[in-house]
Amino acid sequence: GKKLNMARKRGEPIGKPLERIRRTVSSACFGKGGKAKGREAKKQRGDQAAAAFNDDTADLGVTCTMLDHLGHPVPETTTNSEAWQTGYTLELKYTTGREEDSEVVSKKLKIETNLPGCSELALPRRIIAGQILTSPAWTLEFCSSADCKWSWFAEEEGGGWTTIGEGSPQLAIDEKFVGRRVKVRCEPACGERAGEPREAVSQAPVMNSPPLRFMRARHDAMGARPAGSSLRVMSYNILADVYSKTSYAKDVLYPDISKEHLDTDYRQQLSLFEVSGFGCDILCMQEVDSILYDKFWSPRLGSGGYEGFFSPKTSKVEGCALFWNQEKLGARCTESVHLRDLFADEGWLEKHLGAEAASTLARDQNLWGILRKISTAAQYALLEVQQGEGRRVLVANTHLYFHPGASHIRALSVAAILAHAADLLSRHGLTEEDCPVLVCGDLNSEPDTGAIELLARSSVSAEHYEWRDCSRFSWKARDEESGFEQDEDLRYALDGAAGGGSEERDPRFDLR
């Protein structure tokens, strides 16, 4: 029969769902064999039967009783949360056939609550042979991937399937299966309890792997993961799917890359191979699609021993992800902020950037308005080494605003990120002397910009060229052609770039 979910309130008495079941069974008896036969059956039974179904006080000819472990009826006043228990039984009794040759049917249905299940299983659109691990996207209920039984199959030339792997949700497909489809089977389980198995077949045949020698060369150059208290850190912008699909990306940024190779489904498998090969202790990622974090990156890296969290930009379409090796590091705290929220808080600006900087921002409404519109997110993880003296490090991960004419916005963003890091340490009774701050991410900044100068020297001079050269930057109507910052309703441009007049603004900061 058809598998259905029953969603009822926990405090509701079971009499209500049992009555619903009685009426459903009664309706099925009246309409057995489909709509046409159902109408005929109802007509033969007469209007009295149909009326009885719609009458709350009528005898439906169906009884539905819940029995406990000892076979005793459970009172219908019992709440759903107390009544629906594994091992209880649902007893149904109903009459079939015409009145003259009717038969009473009795069925006892075993109740299983929170049964392990796999509600979703899908293989990548492109299956790559060789060293690239193939793994399906899955949604499991009341079990983990480690609890489940996994089986892999390849399509035989004459039809049918042959087993090519067992025991793991990921598999390196042998190159001899190129040109064939593959299938994965998940049998959800939790202890001795098992759910309904689910299968997924690849949409296309297995394809040859691209050359991986350049990736392997980098892996070899880095060597094994460092031992002891040394940490290996990696930052990686993986190009969000929302940006790779735009016409600007295809025609301007990556005109020589085929549509197939820009496909996220293909790229993420290669990215995972590259990331995994470095054996990082800390991994900071940018432009991670929100959906792919949940369905791909978190489960894949989680199975490799990593723990992490995701911080979306204000659009919630993409954002940053920060992972750490659980064997080596533990998280004392994690948190995320949107920089626009910090810049919109005048009290926070005065306290953490200083009264002079806050006053300068308040006077320049154009600049302050831009800072309250940027979508930048920053995420923080206060990590502690699991062994030894338990040294700590605060890791910040971000992706700064991209526009080439807005490097001053990036410098101010770095100042806010560092100020929030100092505040976080203070709230945990720490200082930068006993807990170093590691800032990672895609900063979109050249070496001579204020953002880099602030990180390298702890200050940016009030005479830095950015304060003058970027003073005419403003925020205008959205540019559909750019393909960037699609989460915003506005567009970015430089006033006066085409000879138009604009008010001269020369905001200067002495950031320290």
Side-chain angles (χ1 to χ4, degrees), residues 184-205:
V184 63
R185 177 184 174 90
C186 173
E187 299 179 41
C190 183
E192 297 182 355
R193 305 179 70 203
E196 290 291 326
R198 196 178 188 94
E199 294 182 347
V201 179
S202 61
Q203 299 177 21

Side-chain angles (χ1 to χ4, degrees), residues 67 79 88 163 253 288 323 354:
L67 306 177
T79 62
Y88 278 25
T163 303
L253 296 179
V288 180
F323 294 93

Side-chain angles (χ1 to χ4, degrees), residues 444-462:
N444 279 313
S445 300
E446 299 291 337
D448 64 339
T449 57
I452 302 302
E453 183 172 318
L454 181 57
L455 288 170
R457 302 179 182 177
S458 301
S459 65
V460 180
S461 168

Side-chain angles (χ1 to χ4, degrees), residues 1 65 81 128 168 242 261 328 364 376 399 411 421 442 446 460 463:
T65 308
S81 61
I128 305 172
S168 174
V242 67
H261 291 161
K328 198 167 189 177
D364 192 322
T376 306
H399 184 189
D442 183 346
E446 299 291 337
V460 180
E463 302 304 317

Side-chain angles (χ1 to χ4, degrees), residues 320-332:
C320 297
L322 199 161
F323 294 93
W324 55 92
N325 172 21
Q326 295 183 82
E327 184 179 341
K328 198 167 189 177
L329 296 163
R332 184 170 174 180

Side-chain angles (χ1 to χ4, degrees), residues 28-30 32 41 44-45 49 94-105:
C29 291
F30 286 143
K32 186 176 181 182
Q44 292 175 352
R45 285 177 170 264
Y94 54 93
T95 303
T96 61
R98 296 177 181 274
E99 188 172 343
E100 59 270 19
D101 57 354
S102 62
E103 178 185 357
V104 177
V105 177

Side-chain angles (χ1 to χ4, degrees), residues 153-281:
F153 309 88
E155 194 172 28
E156 297 177 343
E157 294 182 4
W161 299 88
T162 183
T163 303
I164 60 174
E166 289 183 323
S168 174
Q170 54 188 14
L171 181 71
I173 308 296
D174 196 290
E175 294 179 350
K176 67 182 179 182
F177 298 115
V178 169
R180 303 189 197 181
R181 293 188 305 163
V182 295
K183 178 173 69 174
V184 63
R185 177 184 174 90
C186 173
E187 299 179 41
C190 183
E192 297 182 355
R193 305 179 70 203
E196 290 291 326
R198 196 178 188 94
E199 294 182 347
V201 179
S202 61
Q203 299 177 21
V206 177
M207 61 185 293
N208 280 308
S209 173
L212 301 176
R213 57 182 178 275
F214 63 95
M215 291 188 187
R216 289 198 293 264
R218 289 202 291 267
H219 295 163
D220 294 340
M222 289 296 294
R225 176 180 287 162
S229 59
S230 297
L231 298 175
R232 178 175 293 176
V233 183
M234 180 179 186
S235 181
Y236 194 178
N237 183 324
I238 62 173
L239 179 59
D241 186 43
V242 67
Y243 302 145
S244 66
K245 288 180 176 179
T246 64
S247 58
Y248 184 82
K250 296 173 183 176
D251 301 335
V252 180
L253 296 179
Y254 317 111
D256 299 323
I257 300 180
S258 67
K259 178 181 177 181
E260 291 75 16
H261 291 161
L262 270 179
D263 180 70
T264 300
D265 193 67
Y266 173 82
R267 290 189 295 109
Q268 67 185 6
Q269 295 182 71
L270 298 180
S271 297
L272 179 62
F273 175 80
E274 183 164 29
V275 166
S276 301
F278 283 115
C280 301
D281 297 304

